[in-house]
Amino acid sequence: MVSPNSAKALIQDGFQINVERSSSRTIADGEFDAAEAMLVAEGSWPDAPLDPIIVGLKELANSNEPIHHTHI
């Protein structure tokens, strides 16, 4: 999981951190916003470019479609 503190450290090291907005996540969007992470639309990860690494997805709907991103 990426916390606001770890997001801030990664951003300070030159990484771009995008965090999906979520009303059900334990950590509020505002905490990631304060860490200067880029907040993106909830559920937008399938349309993200292929080069980012996706971290911390919640339960996914059953599907036979391949997942093309790298996930941790």
Side-chain angles (χ1 to χ4, degrees):
M1 179 180 93
V2 176
S3 69
N5 288 338
S6 59
K8 186 171 186 77
L10 289 166
I11 291 165
Q12 289 173 340
D13 285 344
F15 292 91
Q16 178 180 337
I17 304 296
N18 296 346
V19 176
E20 281 195 6
R21 294 181 178 279
S22 174
S23 60
S24 63
R25 183 179 48 239
T26 304
I27 301 170
D29 291 345
E31 293 185 52
F32 285 105
D33 189 40
E36 300 181 11
M38 172 80 66
L39 291 170
V40 298
E42 188 169 0
S44 63
W45 71 268
D47 298 321
L50 295 179
D51 55 330
I53 297 171
I54 310 284
V55 179
L57 283 177
K58 301 294 182 194
E59 292 180 32
L60 300 177
N62 289 333
S63 173
N64 291 327
E65 294 295 317
I67 296 176
H68 299 285
H69 296 87
T70 299
H71 292 79
I72 295 176

